[in-house]
Amino acid sequence: MKECLKFYINGEWVDPAQPKTLDVINPATEEPCAKISIGSQADVDKAVAAAKKAFETFSKTSVEDRVALLGKILEVYQSRYGDIAEAITMEMGAPAKLSQLAQAAMGVAHLGTMIEILKGYEFEEQRGTTTLRKEPIGVCGFITPWNWPMNQIMCKVAPAIAAGCTVVLKPSEEAPLDAYIFAEVMDAAGVPKGVFNLVNGDGPGVGAAISSHPDVDMVSFTGSTRAGILVAKAAADTVKRVAQELGGKSPNIILDDADLEKAVAGGVMGVMQNSGQSCNAPTRMLVPAGKHDEALKIAKATAESVKVGDPNAEGTTMGPVVNEVQFNKIQGLIQKGIEEGATLVTGGTGRPEGLNKGFYVRPTIFGNVTNDMTVAREEIFGPVLAIMPYESEEEAIRIGNDTVYGLSGYVQGELAHANKVAAQIRAGQIHVNGAGPDLHAPFGGFKQSGNGREWGELGFEEFLETKAVLGANAA
């Protein structure tokens, strides 16, 4: 069993202030695969002090120096790529192919994008006699989740380093192994002491300490809306900047002029990827009432083609969910859908046939769902799709917007028509006709899906303050 018992603080691997450990559970086997230390306020204090001191000099480095540093991080990251992908599969159950082609790949993608942005970014502009300068915000505390662990680490750390900020990272205690390797990457890349710090731990112990710390200038959190509220409250007393990427219950509106087979099948797979553990998954599919039954047949066939099993086995397309708590929550919500009268098209409660161990969930499709049902309201965070019939386009848009969330939306149909509907969906990112991710497009939500943006130039600017120097250009 792998032991990751030290923290990375001020350029050194150090013991926690108070010895306390936690087993990391492999969700495919339900057995411990690693052991980490759980930090405390004392560890956070030490990490923040290192970051604060490092900011004094790192904030003054040149763009060229930071481009070179990010390039070195990318080079070392690529040398550890296989280790990172393997760790993600072990800690949170992503199929090996998904870990290789998507999970670990997002680290490379965000680093490359940020290098490109930094090279061309204008940190200073003139407006009349005033100079506007963009400067790094300071010490940044990052609290990241387990579902896309490296993606969420890198889309925060890369722009922070690019901006000249310093970092204290608390990865999820459910999936901390890729973050531990990432700290090794940062060390091997020669990141200056104190610029990047890693403290493992849980939300109440380490997350709350980061959020409330008076010397943390910004806290960026990705996770549930419930936990995000706690982070915001803890941060309020010190009036620090808070950026949050929270939950979602994204509508997928399939218009009457869409290719039904392609749109439904693509929508189903969009939910099943990563075992449904994506905050922007298209979990509410809206189809014209006259095509509802046909859509259910397509959805059933697609869901039943998903191969659930050992994430390291050849051909597996869906692994387990991350832990027993999530497994039980999903089982309860599937049962709730049955009890509330939704049509169970395929899947249901229990593990898939032939799987008696591991937190595996059956790919589940519900039809005849109404938007007041629990499966249409709550973020299930599992491989469960709710399909809803609509009578008119106006009704589809109304249902799509009838949620406390607003992270993503999806529209399928003739392009001009789809764009017209997309303009009416209240969400931070809309995918038209199955469009994939764009590393330069901002990612973030409306309403209770959070505030602030990640990815690309707008994500980079979250780590900058604007200073106006009046009279700098006076005659």
Side-chain angles (χ1 to χ4, degrees):
M1 187 166 70
K2 187 176 177 68
E3 291 199 339
C4 303
L5 300 180
K6 293 184 181 291
F7 301 147
Y8 187 72
I9 298 175
N10 202 32
E12 298 178 349
W13 289 100
V14 300
D15 292 322
Q18 302 168 345
K20 183 182 179 184
T21 62
L22 176 74
D23 285 344
V24 179
I25 305 299
N26 183 329
T29 65
E30 302 184 39
E31 300 292 335
C33 63
K35 191 182 294 290
I36 62 168
S37 291
I38 295 294
S40 63
Q41 178 77 54
D43 300 299
V44 173
D45 287 345
K46 189 175 179 182
V48 172
K52 184 179 180 180
K53 182 172 175 53
F55 181 72
E56 294 174 10
T57 51
F58 190 67
S59 61
K60 298 178 176 66
T61 55
S62 69
V63 167
E64 292 74 22
D65 285 345
R66 296 198 300 277
V67 166
L69 179 60
L70 288 170
K72 184 61 179 177
I73 294 168
L74 177 57
E75 179 188 326
V76 179
Y77 183 96
Q78 288 173 317
S79 76
R80 299 296 303 275
Y81 191 99
D83 296 334
I84 291 167
E86 186 179 332
I88 292 171
T89 292
M90 183 166 63
E91 67 192 354
M92 57 79 62
K97 188 174 181 181
L98 183 69
S99 289
Q100 283 280 344
L101 300 181
Q103 291 273 7
M106 292 304 290
V108 173
H110 284 301
L111 274 169
T113 302
M114 206 44 58
I115 290 169
E116 180 186 341
I117 288 168
L118 181 56
K119 284 179 177 178
Y121 192 79
E122 296 291 339
F123 286 86
E124 191 171 294
E125 67 170 292
Q126 311 304 323
R127 292 198 181 177
T129 60
T130 296
T131 297
L132 295 184
R133 290 183 182 147
K134 299 290 181 66
E135 300 181 357
I137 193 168
V139 176
C140 299
F142 295 151
I143 304 169
T144 58
W146 46 259
N147 60 320
W148 284 89
M150 185 50 66
N151 172 71
Q152 289 306 132
I153 289 170
M154 199 65 88
C155 77
K156 298 178 194 297
V157 173
I161 298 292
C165 297
T166 56
V167 171
V168 177
L169 169 67
K170 187 207 89 68
S172 169
E173 68 273 28
E174 298 290 343
L177 306 182
D178 67 301
Y180 208 84
I181 297 169
F182 181 62
E184 294 173 347
V185 167
M186 299 295 271
D187 186 62
V191 174
K193 288 184 176 184
V195 170
F196 173 84
N197 304 273
L198 170 76
V199 178
N200 276 316
D202 57 19
V206 175
I210 289 172
S211 302
S212 61
H213 203 290
D215 289 334
V216 170
D217 300 289
M218 172 184 180
V219 60
S220 179
F221 170 80
T222 299
S224 69
T225 298
R226 176 196 58 78
I229 291 167
L230 296 176
V231 168
K233 286 180 176 178
D237 287 341
T238 47
V239 199
K240 56 174 57 70
R241 183 177 296 178
V242 178
Q244 297 185 320
E245 193 264 282
L246 307 175
K249 195 70 181 177
S250 302
N252 181 8
I253 299 176
I254 298 176
L255 299 171
D256 197 47
D257 51 19
D259 179 333
L260 191 68
E261 178 87 31
K262 182 180 178 182
V264 172
V268 170
M269 294 310 293
V271 172
M272 302 307 161
Q273 186 197 46
N274 208 40
S275 303
Q277 300 171 129
S278 297
C279 48
N280 62 341
T283 49
R284 292 184 298 147
M285 181 182 289
L286 290 91
V287 298
K291 297 183 177 181
H292 177 262
D293 291 348
E294 187 182 353
L296 296 191
K297 290 177 185 175
I298 298 165
K300 176 180 168 69
T302 306
E304 291 175 355
S305 74
V306 173
K307 186 176 179 183
V308 185
D310 179 356
N312 285 302
E314 188 70 31
T316 295
T317 53
M318 196 176 98
V321 296
V322 72
N323 59 26
E324 186 176 14
V325 171
Q326 286 296 118
F327 177 84
N328 290 335
K329 175 194 169 190
I330 295 162
Q331 296 300 312
L333 287 166
I334 292 172
Q335 183 60 38
K336 193 80 169 174
I338 295 168
E339 291 170 0
E340 291 183 355
T343 301
L344 182 63
V345 177
T346 189
T349 56
R351 290 181 174 87
E353 191 175 340
L355 295 170
N356 300 316
K357 195 171 188 181
F359 304 121
Y360 296 98
V361 176
R362 300 171 69 186
T364 298
I365 306 290
F366 283 109
N368 290 299
V369 174
T370 56
N371 209 42
D372 58 348
M373 292 180 179
T374 304
V375 292
R377 307 302 300 178
E378 290 196 24
E379 185 180 35
I380 298 172
F381 229 59
V384 181
L385 172 63
I387 300 181
M388 301 181 239
Y390 67 84
E391 295 294 341
S392 69
E393 195 170 291
E394 292 71 26
E395 183 189 21
I397 294 166
R398 180 183 57 77
I399 292 171
N401 287 329
D402 181 16
T403 172
V404 297
Y405 298 112
L407 185 58
S408 289
Y410 299 75
V411 185
Q412 327 284 333
E414 185 274 325
L415 187 58
H417 186 193
N419 281 329
K420 182 181 175 184
V421 172
Q424 299 173 72
I425 302 300
R426 286 184 49 76
Q429 196 172 80
I430 311 294
H431 300 253
V432 173
N433 290 331
D438 176 354
L439 271 293
H440 286 273
F443 186 92
F446 289 19
K447 299 186 280 185
Q448 291 186 29
S449 286
N451 52 64
R453 292 295 182 266
E454 296 182 320
W455 300 34
E457 187 170 308
L458 287 180
F460 171 64
E461 289 180 336
E462 290 285 333
F463 297 95
L464 298 173
E465 288 280 25
T466 301
K467 176 186 286 182
V469 184
L470 284 67
N473 302 306

